[in-house]
Amino acid sequence: RGVNKAGHSYIFPPNGVLPPRGLCQYVFPLCYCYTGQEEIYYVFRAMWVRHWSKLYSLRSRRDTLLPLCRLFENLLQELNPRLCLHLLQIGVHPTRMVFPW
């Protein structure tokens, strides 16, 4: 919550939901492709709705985080089974290592 100049409290941001940590990192590359702030905003908004927001939802639907984690596990087991086995033997689940990325 915040307090404006008139002394009234308000919720910030207006919808009450804080943006995810690191959200600005999605915007940086767009700054090299577009010059106007308004244009960057509309491109970012479209890309967030279409692609990036799916990385923040724990669902089993295609193109969301859980199937992406499963794909990582399958690729790791297929391409480097020794590393996968080593991680499991020392008690580190492979997905736990890459989840913050």
Side-chain angles (χ1 to χ4, degrees):
R1 289 191 178 262
V3 178
N4 62 14
K5 292 180 182 180
H8 299 111
S9 66
Y10 62 93
I11 295 176
F12 183 82
N15 64 1
V17 178
L18 292 174
R21 184 177 177 183
L23 184 64
C24 61
Q25 294 176 356
Y26 295 123
V27 179
F28 292 152
L30 299 176
C31 295
Y32 291 103
C33 300
Y34 302 95
T35 56
Q37 291 179 0
E38 191 172 306
E39 189 177 27
I40 292 170
Y41 169 74
Y42 287 115
V43 170
F44 172 77
R45 185 177 72 177
M47 292 183 79
W48 173 261
V49 169
R50 197 171 298 146
H51 304 291
W52 298 326
S53 64
K54 295 175 184 175
L55 296 177
Y56 290 90
S57 61
L58 292 174
R59 296 182 179 171
S60 60
R61 288 179 29 194
R62 202 183 88 148
D63 297 333
T64 58
L65 192 56
L66 291 178
L68 189 61
C69 288
R70 183 66 186 149
L71 174 63
F72 168 76
E73 290 175 356
N74 290 341
L75 288 173
L76 182 63
Q77 288 174 3
E78 181 181 329
L79 300 175
N80 201 335
R82 289 180 59 201
L83 174 62
C84 187
L85 180 61
H86 173 71
L87 290 172
L88 292 173
Q89 286 175 341
I90 62 172
V92 177
H93 196 278
T95 306
R96 188 172 173 199
M97 292 180 63
V98 298
F99 200 79
W101 294 348

